[in-house]
Structure formats: C-alpha cells, structure tokens
Amino acid sequence: MKNQKPLFLFLVLLLLFSSCNRNPDMDETNLSQTVDPESPNSSQTGSASNLFLRPCTAINMTDMETLFQESPLFINEENGGCVIRNQWDTRSIWFSVFSGEQALPAMQWQTRHLIVGWNDDYQAIVDEIISDESNQTLIDLQESRLVVYEQLEYRWERFFTVGDSAYWILNSRAFKGILDVVEDDIYLQIGFSGFLAAQVQTEIEKLAVSIIDQLPENFFVEFDFTEEVSELNPIESLSEVPEILDVTTTSQEIFFGDLCGDEMTTIRAQIDNYEIIDNIYLVYRLVSASETNDNWNTVFMNQLTPSTWEISLSAETSFLTYELINGAQVEYSIAIIYGVNNVQRSPSYSDILLLQCRQ
C-alpha cells in the first residue's frame, strides 16, 4: 500500500494537467475574434467577408503632432473619411479610402463635391464627365476629372511611386493640395490645407504608403453615396460665409506708353462677415482682339481695413506676360479663402480698359 500512494498521486496530477491543456487559451481565442460593437451587421453591409474599416484607426497621432508641430489635435470621421485639425482650425489633413464596389461611387461623389459652392456652370462639366460611359473605371474617371480641378485653379502632376495611377493636385495660393491614388480596386485620397506644399508633400506620400500597407484584403467603409452632396454639405448660412458687398475701381482706364500718367488703377473689395477670412486674392488676365491668354495671373490683395481689401494694377508692371494692345480688356475676379480651405468666388468683371497713351 505504501508503494501505491505515490502512484495514485502521480495519476491525479497527470489528469489535472491534461484537463488544463485540453482547450486553447480562451482569452487568446476571444481576442482574435473581437468584433467592433459599433460595426453594422452583415445584413446591413453586404458580404460578411468584408471587414468594416474605421478610417481614423490608420492614423498615428504622434506622427501627426510632429507634422503639425503643435498639440493638441482633433480627429473626426467625416463623409466616410478621417479629418485631423489643429485647435485653431487653421490647418488640416484628411483622407478617405474605399475599395471594391465602393471605390467608383466614392470618386463620383467626390467629383460632385468639388463644385459645391462654385459657379453653376461647373455642374454641366461634372455631369458630363460622370455620365460618360468611357469614365466608368477608376483610372479613366481620375484622369477625366482633372479638367475640373484645372477650372478650380489647381495644377496637377503625375506621381509615380504610389499606386497604379497617382496625381498631386495643388493650389499653392490657397495652401491646399490633394494626393489622388488608384491602386487596383482601391481609391485613396489624402488632402491638406493650411500648409505649404513643400512642407508636407513628402510626409503625405509616406502616409499614403502606410495606409495602403495597413488595408485588409477586403473592407468597406460605412458611408451612403446615394445621398445628395447638397444634403451632406448644406450651404452655410449667410452669417457663416464671407460676402462681397461691392467691388470698385479708382479708374476704369489705365494707360501704357512713354510719358503717360494714369498708369494704375486700384481694385477695392468691400467684404461682409470678414471675421472668418483667411486671405483674398485677385485673378486676372488681359484679353484683346489679337490675344486671349488662358494663363491667369494671381496676386494676393492687401487688407486696408478689416472689411476692405485692395490691389493696384499697373499697365507697365502687371501685364508683363501679355501683349499690350490698345483697347485690351482686363478680365478679373476675386476669390476669398475662408474656414481654412473654403473658397468664395466673385463673378467675373471686365470693366477696365488698357489704352495706349498718345501725346
């Protein structure tokens, strides 16, 4: 009996040890199967094999604070994307990414969104681009809508180190830009406002690579592209948008030639709701019987009072890229940058004549 007691204890310990190792670690199993409680169920979002993606989870806030060179920053999910802003709302970086069946509707929606708040003339251009049967792939639509950015005073260039097709689309005067990327069935757009392009382009290119590397094979973003753009982004009330009350000139005739006077005119704009203005610039060109130049000049206007902005044009110095022709018209408009990256554009004016001085 004395020899059987150690054997009995050994068998008990062996049974206990086997019982503890019969099942996998439950904590580890549960962790690998965790589902976001806010994620819509498969009946709402389609295939259960697609992973619900919250865009802001791709952002490292420490990296963002380094890029912004300030803290705290505020991060929000808006219109299916992620927006990071500083505390004064003067700088922002935002991105959105979609794949599969969501990618083309996302690009179409964003194309319509480009012209919100701009002249209605752009609506026909956008409608034609989106409805064109040859623009029903990501790359075709991406290339075709570059003309819309051109109309909105952006300049673009191809970028070859990210994705299958990528473009930098920049408006340096408004301190804003967009990196537009298509890779396979993925559409990624990253934008910035309030930064100098040279200050952030390299970091945004790195961010694009980082986001693409983090993406699961199949994913969806909770956003309804069937909603009208105007419903998702209602036009602000008049109290929230700067308004150009009046545009005047000190002279509607300016002269060029030897020994001339009256060579300058000052364009002055009176603005309401000026508290939210970031900057104002004048866009102008010279149009004559022998020349209609598609290149526009841009100059920032000077703030005379909180509500009054002005800029002077000189016949001798403001039209160096144009041919000075007697009777040429100065065509111009005024653009207000407000709320970091919003633009309010005036109608086009053609009430200044360039005349040759004859003495």
Side-chain angles (χ1 to χ4, degrees), residues 2-16:
K2 291 181 180 180
N3 292 334
Q4 292 178 353
K5 184 176 293 186
L7 179 61
F8 173 77
L9 292 174
F10 175 79
L11 291 173
V12 170
L13 291 172
L14 182 62
L15 288 171
L16 289 173

Side-chain angles (χ1 to χ4, degrees), residues 112 115 122-132:
R112 294 188 181 96
I115 60 172
Y122 297 114
Q123 186 67 55
I125 299 174
V126 168
D127 289 343
E128 182 178 354
I129 290 172
I130 291 176
S131 62
D132 192 328

Side-chain angles (χ1 to χ4, degrees), residues 123-179:
Q123 186 67 55
I125 299 174
V126 168
D127 289 343
E128 182 178 354
I129 290 172
I130 291 176
S131 62
D132 192 328
E133 292 184 1
S134 63
N135 294 332
Q136 301 309 306
T137 68
L138 290 174
I139 291 179
D140 288 335
L141 179 56
Q142 182 189 43
E143 293 177 351
S144 297
R145 71 179 190 161
L146 290 172
V147 68
V148 181
Y149 283 106
E150 291 174 358
Q151 292 290 320
L152 302 180
E153 301 175 18
Y154 286 84
R155 297 293 178 263
W156 56 265
E157 60 184 38
R158 287 293 303 269
F159 184 67
F160 294 98
T161 60
V162 175
D164 300 322
S165 176
Y167 292 88
W168 264 114
I169 306 168
L170 300 170
N171 186 336
S172 299
R173 295 183 297 271
F175 299 98
K176 60 194 296 187
I178 295 163
L179 180 59

Side-chain angles (χ1 to χ4, degrees), residues 20-303:
C20 290
N21 289 276
R22 185 174 298 132
N23 296 318
D25 185 344
M26 294 301 294
D27 290 338
E28 182 178 349
T29 302
N30 290 339
L31 180 62
S32 67
Q33 297 178 352
T34 297
V35 177
D36 188 332
E38 297 184 22
S39 173
N41 59 40
S42 60
S43 65
Q44 295 173 309
T45 58
S47 172
S49 64
N50 285 345
L51 175 67
F52 173 61
L53 179 70
R54 302 198 73 119
C56 288
T57 59
I59 294 298
N60 182 306
M61 288 302 289
T62 300
D63 292 343
M64 288 293 104
E65 289 172 354
T66 301
L67 179 56
F68 277 76
Q69 297 183 345
E70 56 186 283
S71 179
L73 301 177
F74 299 91
I75 183 167
N76 295 289
E77 291 182 3
E78 298 178 12
N79 295 338
C82 182
V83 184
I84 305 98
R85 298 182 176 91
N86 65 358
Q87 58 186 320
W88 298 282
D89 204 16
T90 56
R91 288 180 171 184
S92 68
I93 290 176
W94 52 266
F95 81 91
S96 60
V97 60
F98 300 92
S99 72
E101 295 180 356
Q102 283 192 309
L104 185 61
M107 189 181 289
Q108 292 170 337
W109 185 91
Q110 289 184 352
T111 306
R112 294 188 181 96
H113 182 265
L114 287 175
I115 60 172
V116 171
W118 287 80
N119 193 303
D120 291 340
D121 293 342
Y122 297 114
Q123 186 67 55
I125 299 174
V126 168
D127 289 343
E128 182 178 354
I129 290 172
I130 291 176
S131 62
D132 192 328
E133 292 184 1
S134 63
N135 294 332
Q136 301 309 306
T137 68
L138 290 174
I139 291 179
D140 288 335
L141 179 56
Q142 182 189 43
E143 293 177 351
S144 297
R145 71 179 190 161
L146 290 172
V147 68
V148 181
Y149 283 106
E150 291 174 358
Q151 292 290 320
L152 302 180
E153 301 175 18
Y154 286 84
R155 297 293 178 263
W156 56 265
E157 60 184 38
R158 287 293 303 269
F159 184 67
F160 294 98
T161 60
V162 175
D164 300 322
S165 176
Y167 292 88
W168 264 114
I169 306 168
L170 300 170
N171 186 336
S172 299
R173 295 183 297 271
F175 299 98
K176 60 194 296 187
I178 295 163
L179 180 59
D180 204 63
V181 181
V182 172
E183 179 168 307
D184 195 16
D185 69 340
I186 294 171
Y187 170 51
L188 168 67
Q189 190 177 81
I190 306 178
F192 69 85
S193 61
F195 293 89
L196 291 172
Q199 182 182 1
V200 295
Q201 278 185 266
T202 299
E203 295 305 316
I204 285 180
E205 290 159 9
K206 293 178 182 178
L207 179 60
V209 173
S210 173
I211 291 172
I212 291 174
D213 288 346
Q214 293 180 59
L215 294 175
E217 183 175 353
N218 298 297
F219 67 91
F220 66 89
V221 176
E222 188 178 21
F223 189 65
D224 186 1
F225 297 107
T226 63
E227 296 282 353
E228 293 292 332
V229 171
S230 59
E231 293 178 7
L232 291 167
N233 294 275
I235 301 299
E236 300 116 312
S237 67
L238 290 178
S239 63
E240 298 172 328
V241 178
E243 182 182 1
I244 301 174
L245 299 177
D246 191 26
V247 176
T248 60
T249 61
T250 55
S251 175
Q252 292 184 321
E253 296 179 348
I254 54 178
F255 294 88
F256 68 94
D258 296 333
L259 302 175
C260 278
D262 299 324
E263 294 181 347
M264 298 181 66
T265 185
T266 298
I267 300 171
R268 187 168 295 156
Q270 194 73 27
I271 312 296
D272 194 15
N273 301 324
Y274 53 82
E275 295 87 352
I276 58 176
I277 291 174
D278 295 314
N279 222 322
I280 297 180
Y281 60 90
L282 180 80
V283 181
Y284 70 94
R285 66 178 179 178
L286 200 60
V287 179
S288 67
S290 63
E291 179 184 49
T292 301
N293 198 320
D294 290 332
N295 294 321
W296 294 77
N297 286 336
T298 302
V299 288
F300 283 102
M301 300 183 73
N302 304 307
Q303 188 175 25

Side-chain angles (χ1 to χ4, degrees), residues 320-340:
L320 299 179
T321 59
Y322 303 98
E323 183 181 0
L324 298 183
I325 298 292
N326 186 51
Q329 283 187 320
V330 181
E331 184 177 350
Y332 65 95
S333 63
I334 295 169
I336 303 173
I337 304 171
Y338 69 99
V340 181

